[in-house]
Amino acid sequence: MTTPLRGNRDFRLLWLSGLFAVLGGQMTALALPLLVLKETGSAVQAGAVGTVSVGAVLITMLPGGVMADRVERRRLMRLCDVGSLTVVTALATAVWFGHAPMPLVLLVAAAGAVISSVYAPAVFGLMRAVVPADQMGTATARLQARSQTARLVGPLVGGALFGIHPALPFAAEALGLLLSTVCVALVRTRSRARAKAGAVFSRRELLAGLTFLWGLPYLRTVLLVFGLGMNFAFGALTFTALTAFSDGGTSGIGGGFVITCVSAGALAGALIAPRISPERHSRLLIVATCWTCVTAAGVMAWAGTPLVAGLMCALCMCLSTVASIGFLSKLLVVTPEDRVGRVQSAAGFLSSMVQPFGPLAGGALLTAFGARGAFALTGCVLALSALVVTLAPSARAEPAPPRKAVPADAPEPVAGPARAAGDGPVPATGPDHAPAVAKRAVPGD
């Protein structure tokens, strides 16, 4: 009989570990640009920190997946824990003593991004051994709900702490990372791929995850259309709404309401998902999400008010979150145990590479055609994506799980189910946000 998730000790520890890490990361996500502005007075340098972070993630994401398939995953997570705690503590100390040089800030941003690229596939691989396949949808939803709650609370707490002293948000993140490290150390489950990956920078190993995804038509179609196309178009849609309803930058109330609704929709989707078993209806949910986004773009073009835009974005984000949980649960189950790291990194890479361009496209459309034209043209892109996932034969052929294999070696007693069950990426299949600086990626984040 399968142990319920509430009785799965290692899942609870991983859930708590992620909560501490995400909450700390969200506190510094707001504090870091404020710190750079305070130190330099330059918005360009503040933006450069985010650019360095995103660029480092994209460059190191695929090698990070190979590492997760070579090293025992819990051990790798603990090494990443120590690295994260070191860089954040260094920054907190520098700020406390009154000066954080820009090279140190950039170094912390780059180091945090590299650590995140290694940590994320390792924790997904460990989750595969902790959670059985029939509970993966519920587990993923709980992780999403945890992370979305942290995203709502973290920036507010970080901003308040920064107002007291600029070092406090970074000290709070260091404390969160320390608690997260303790939680990971208490996990009993071990997870090592039966067949180790080869050299980290070999072409074959770097492309192994992409090759696997490309070889399954369903995964290929959904990631390219729902992951890339929808991420790009929805990013353009929300940026257009944020800009259009901020009255040219003179008021942040309308745009802030839209962004709040997006976060609230994501949280609502994560809370709803466990009740409807999204892994059993992933294709239906993906199709419904795509057409709802098309409808939202049309409604926003016709009725241009912050209230309408916020409610439509919340509905889209809610459905997208539920659909993503269903897709991810299926992906976790069908991925072979010895490729979890590489497949996770490949899926995350595909879904993340277009995120910086959505807002850029939205701004260009808004400048050229106005708000109504930008919403309408974005809706056309969304409609094209919706047609593909609705009509393409490859989007109908959902893959079957691989045959049950010998469990990954577990030299210590395993808490929870002994069989490898399946976990994988939380790629941004649907709208998501770029990773925060020096923030570890965790399941559901």
Side-chain angles (χ1 to χ4, degrees):
M1 183 176 178
T2 302
T3 303
L5 281 178
R6 64 177 177 274
N8 189 328
R9 175 183 178 275
D10 281 358
F11 175 75
R12 295 200 310 268
L13 286 170
L14 288 176
W15 190 93
L16 284 172
S17 170
L19 176 64
F20 294 134
V22 176
L23 188 59
Q26 289 300 314
M27 284 191 285
T28 56
L30 176 65
L32 193 67
L34 293 178
L35 173 66
V36 176
L37 285 172
K38 180 177 180 294
E39 292 284 332
T40 67
S42 170
V44 174
Q45 292 190 49
V49 175
T51 301
V52 167
S53 180
V54 173
V57 166
L58 292 177
I59 292 171
T60 59
M61 192 173 285
L62 296 180
V66 182
M67 282 290 297
D69 287 339
R70 296 183 68 207
V71 181
E72 198 280 312
R73 287 154 182 157
R74 178 178 169 274
R75 182 183 306 163
L76 187 59
M77 289 166 59
R78 295 176 69 180
L79 291 174
C80 290
D81 279 332
V82 173
S84 297
L85 186 57
T86 300
V87 296
V88 173
T89 301
L91 182 60
T93 303
V95 177
W96 180 262
F97 285 103
H99 181 59
M102 192 63 185
L104 174 62
V105 173
L106 293 177
L107 177 63
V108 169
V114 172
I115 291 170
S116 174
S117 295
V118 177
Y119 186 92
V123 71
F124 295 138
L126 182 58
M127 278 289 297
R128 181 186 174 95
V130 169
V131 180
D134 58 355
Q135 294 179 344
M136 194 57 65
T138 302
T140 305
R142 291 186 182 180
L143 297 174
Q144 289 275 9
R146 173 207 66 193
S147 297
Q148 294 301 335
T149 302
R151 281 177 173 162
L152 289 174
V153 175
L156 296 176
V157 176
L161 291 176
F162 188 87
I164 299 173
H165 192 286
L168 289 181
F170 306 102
E173 183 180 17
L175 176 61
L177 288 170
L178 178 61
L179 294 174
S180 177
T181 302
V182 173
C183 290
V184 173
L186 293 175
V187 171
R188 295 172 181 165
T189 304
R190 301 295 185 272
S191 174
R192 184 192 297 275
R194 290 184 301 276
K196 291 184 181 180
V200 174
F201 295 103
S202 72
R203 184 171 176 235
R204 180 174 179 270
E205 298 303 330
L206 289 175
L207 299 179
L210 294 171
T211 301
F212 175 80
L213 294 172
W214 190 262
L216 294 178
Y218 175 79
L219 299 181
R220 179 177 68 227
T221 301
V222 172
L223 279 170
L224 289 178
V225 177
F226 193 58
L228 271 74
M230 290 294 294
N231 262 339
F232 175 80
F234 194 83
L237 187 72
T238 53
F239 183 82
T240 301
L242 169 65
T243 306
F245 300 127
S246 294
D247 297 327
T250 60
S251 172
I253 297 177
F257 176 75
V258 172
I259 299 304
T260 300
C261 286
V262 170
S263 298
L267 177 58
L271 295 175
I272 291 170
R275 303 177 183 274
I276 63 175
S277 300
E279 67 276 9
R280 300 178 184 175
H281 316 288
S282 59
R283 181 179 178 276
L284 177 62
L285 289 167
I286 288 171
V287 171
T289 299
C290 290
W291 286 111
T292 301
C293 288
V294 174
T295 304
V299 170
M300 291 161 70
W302 173 68
T305 65
L307 177 62
V308 171
L311 293 177
M312 294 305 299
C313 286
L315 177 60
C316 292
M317 196 65 189
C318 179
L319 284 174
S320 174
T321 301
V322 178
S324 294
I325 289 171
F327 173 77
L328 295 174
S329 301
K330 187 173 295 294
L331 179 60
L332 308 182
V333 172
V334 304
T335 302
E337 188 273 339
D338 59 343
R339 301 186 196 178
V340 171
R342 286 164 288 178
V343 171
Q344 184 277 330
S345 295
F349 178 79
L350 288 174
S351 299
S352 301
M353 61 188 300
V354 298
Q355 287 181 357
F357 302 106
L360 181 63
L365 291 174
L366 186 62
T367 301
F369 303 102
R372 180 164 295 182
F375 286 131
L377 290 172
T378 303
C380 292
V381 177
L382 291 166
L384 180 61
S385 299
L387 285 171
V388 173
V389 297
T390 302
L391 302 177
S394 58
R396 301 169 183 262
E398 299 187 21
R403 293 181 180 179
K404 184 177 179 180
V406 179
D409 64 313
E412 298 184 20
V414 175
R419 57 174 286 218
D423 185 67
V426 178
T429 47
D432 201 0
H433 305 284
V437 175
K439 171 187 165 223
R440 298 180 333 181
V442 295
D445 183 30

